């Protein structure tokens, strides 16, 4: 895929007014496109697919005109301009929110659309669209985490949320983060690699780096979420079977205004010393029947990875009987 880098000089305009307080307008624009958008001084650099870069350039031309004409630029003005260019976007870029398009595309990735592959995945997407908290429980390879990330990015592009937060409990190797070498980022990367891999399938490296630096996308260990309130966020907790009952309560009570949460896990793969401490097992009993919270269950028939994954799961199930 060809990549174009375009530099736009902004010396003739009030960049603070153009980008909005805390870059609110800039984030609205960046969330709508695959291209990365960075600012240094009075130069805006757009890097991405040539056709999309040209559209972004037109967006900024229109916003500069509006700002010059009216003396002020509101978020509503930005949304109106983005609406005007909607028809010029690739069709898959127009999909927003958790609900899939009629073609089954949840999100346009770097190359292909992220599509629903079976009825349980469709039910998963539908439940996320209708509820603020959804628990996805089932074996590896069923697309629980991958689809959760795709739905989060779709909601971000549709400006339904302003950021994505991805988390995992760091207990798989039975080690404490404090004893691992390196800074915090180096310590947690091995635990969070599956989430990074999913993002890497859907965003270019430049786009992912840009959104991470601006904290539009944040990846943190579960233990570091205590005390936070997450408003207007799409929050994903992966490998939730390894969250304790106390940690699960802590995570769920981080949910703020305008936020959604997806919690994924496999209750047959609990790595906690005492399996009865799993918050994912406990939460099915405690939160059952609460409006706005729903559960979706996958089984080995829903596996969409290599054909042998379902056979491996089946063999282990038979051996454990």
């Amino acid at each position: 895929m060809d990549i174009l880098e375009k530099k736009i000089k902004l010396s003739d305009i009030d960049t603070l007014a153009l980008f909005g307080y805390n870059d609110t307008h800039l984030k609205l624009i960046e969330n709508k496109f695959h291209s990365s958008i960075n600012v240094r001084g009075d130069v805006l650099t757009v890097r991405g697919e040539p056709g999309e870069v040209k559209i972004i350039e037109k967006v900024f031309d229109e916003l500069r005109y509006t700002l010059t004409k009216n003396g002020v630029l509101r978020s509503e003005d930005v949304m109106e301009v983005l609406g005007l260019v909607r028809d010029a976007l690739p069709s898959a870029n127009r999909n927003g929110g958790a609900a899939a398009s009629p073609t089954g595309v949840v999100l346009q990735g770097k190359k292909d659309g992220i599509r629903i592959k079976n009825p349980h995945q469709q039910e998963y997407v539908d439940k996320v669209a209708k509820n603020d908290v959804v628990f996805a429980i089932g074996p590896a390879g069923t697309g629980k985490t991958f689809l959760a990330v795709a739905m989060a990015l779709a909601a971000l592009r549709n400006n339904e949320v302003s950021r994505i937060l991805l988390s995992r409990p760091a207990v798989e190797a039975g080690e404490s983060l404090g004893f691992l070498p390196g800074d915090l980022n180096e310590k947690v990367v091995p635990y969070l690699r599956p989430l990074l891999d999913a993002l890497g399938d859907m965003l270019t490296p430049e786009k992912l780096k840009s959104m991470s630096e601006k904290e539009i996308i944040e990846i943190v260990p579960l233990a570091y979420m205590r005390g936070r309130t997450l408003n207007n966020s799409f929050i994903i907790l992966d490998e939730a079977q390894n969250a304790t009952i106390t940690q699960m309560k802590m995570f769920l009570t981080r949910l703020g205004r305008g936020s959604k949460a997806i919690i994924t896990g496999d209750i047959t793969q609990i790595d906690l010393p005492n399996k009865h401490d799993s918050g994912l097992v406990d939460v099915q009993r405690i939160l059952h029947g609460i409006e706005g919270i729903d559960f979706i269950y996958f089984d080995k028939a829903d596996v969409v990875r290599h054909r042998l994954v379902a056979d491996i799961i089946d063999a282990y199930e038979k051996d454990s009987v």
Side-chain angles (χ1 to χ4, degrees):
M1 181 175 65
D2 292 335
I3 296 295
L4 174 66
E5 183 173 287
K6 177 74 175 183
K7 294 186 182 295
I8 304 171
K9 284 283 287 182
L10 301 171
S11 54
D12 61 337
I13 201 78
D14 180 355
T15 54
L16 181 60
L18 180 65
F19 297 147
Y21 178 70
N22 282 340
D23 289 338
T24 304
H25 301 161
L26 187 62
K27 289 175 182 177
L28 285 173
I29 298 165
E30 183 165 30
N31 291 351
K32 206 73 174 178
F33 298 94
H34 292 291
S35 303
S36 63
I37 304 173
N38 293 290
V39 180
R40 178 165 294 183
D42 62 353
V43 177
L44 183 118
T45 303
V46 183
R47 192 170 191 275
E49 189 272 328
E52 190 176 83
V53 170
K54 291 178 182 177
I55 292 171
I56 294 171
E57 187 176 9
K58 290 179 180 178
V59 167
F60 278 103
D61 284 343
E62 186 64 30
L63 293 178
R64 291 162 80 175
Y65 171 79
T66 301
L67 178 56
T68 301
K69 179 182 176 182
N70 299 336
V72 65
L73 189 67
R74 304 167 302 167
S75 294
E76 292 85 349
D77 298 323
V78 179
M79 294 299 294
E80 183 178 353
V81 170
L82 289 172
L84 291 173
V85 303
R86 186 180 180 87
D87 291 337
L89 294 172
S91 59
N93 261 31
R94 301 177 202 149
N95 298 329
S101 71
T103 61
V105 174
V106 178
L107 176 83
Q108 177 65 25
K110 290 187 297 187
K111 297 179 180 178
D112 302 317
I114 309 303
R115 296 179 181 273
I116 291 166
K117 296 185 177 179
N118 57 50
H120 264 155
Q121 287 193 353
Q122 181 65 63
E123 183 183 357
Y124 182 22
V125 171
D126 291 343
K127 286 188 174 184
V128 171
K130 295 174 183 176
N131 297 277
D132 286 338
V133 178
V134 173
F135 293 84
I137 300 172
T142 52
K144 304 184 304 295
T145 301
F146 193 75
L147 269 181
V149 173
M151 287 186 278
L153 284 170
L156 185 69
R157 283 188 189 159
N158 202 43
N159 297 313
E160 295 177 5
V161 297
S162 59
R163 62 175 170 171
I164 296 172
L165 191 140
L166 308 155
S167 186
R168 262 188 160 203
V171 300
E172 288 83 354
E175 296 173 314
S176 167
L177 288 175
F179 291 100
L180 296 176
D183 59 20
L184 176 61
N185 184 61
E186 292 170 326
K187 290 173 190 286
V188 302
V189 161
Y191 293 106
L192 304 175
R193 174 55 59 188
L195 297 171
L196 290 167
D197 288 345
L199 286 167
D201 282 341
M202 302 174 204
L203 299 172
T204 63
E206 295 88 352
K207 180 74 169 180
L208 178 55
K209 180 181 178 183
S210 172
M211 296 177 84
S212 297
E213 289 174 348
K214 296 171 184 174
E215 296 186 344
I216 296 172
I217 294 177
E218 188 178 355
I219 306 178
V220 296
L222 179 58
Y224 287 78
M225 290 185 62
R226 186 174 300 278
R228 301 182 66 177
T229 300
L230 302 169
N231 296 319
N232 302 311
S233 302
F234 202 119
I235 314 159
I236 298 171
L237 176 60
D238 191 36
E239 297 290 345
Q241 75 276 4
N242 289 327
T244 65
I245 294 170
T246 301
Q247 287 176 326
M248 180 64 73
K249 179 182 178 183
M250 180 272 291
F251 171 82
L252 292 172
T253 53
R254 301 308 94 203
L255 201 67
R257 296 184 307 276
S259 292
K260 275 184 178 284
I262 297 178
I263 300 92
T264 70
D266 179 0
I267 56 176
T268 70
Q269 298 292 323
I270 299 171
D271 296 312
L272 296 169
N274 185 348
K275 296 185 185 300
H276 295 292
D277 288 338
S278 173
L280 188 60
V281 173
D282 193 62
V283 81
Q284 297 174 78
R285 172 183 58 84
I286 293 175
L287 300 185
H288 177 74
I290 296 179
E291 186 176 354
I293 299 176
D294 212 340
F295 293 80
I296 174 75
Y297 294 90
F298 295 91
D299 57 37
K300 60 178 180 287
D302 299 311
V303 170
V304 292
R305 286 186 190 165
H306 193 287
R307 63 176 183 82
L308 287 177
V309 173
D311 293 337
I312 291 168
I313 293 169
D314 189 45
Y316 273 96
E317 286 179 351
K318 289 177 180 178
D319 187 66
S320 64
V321 174

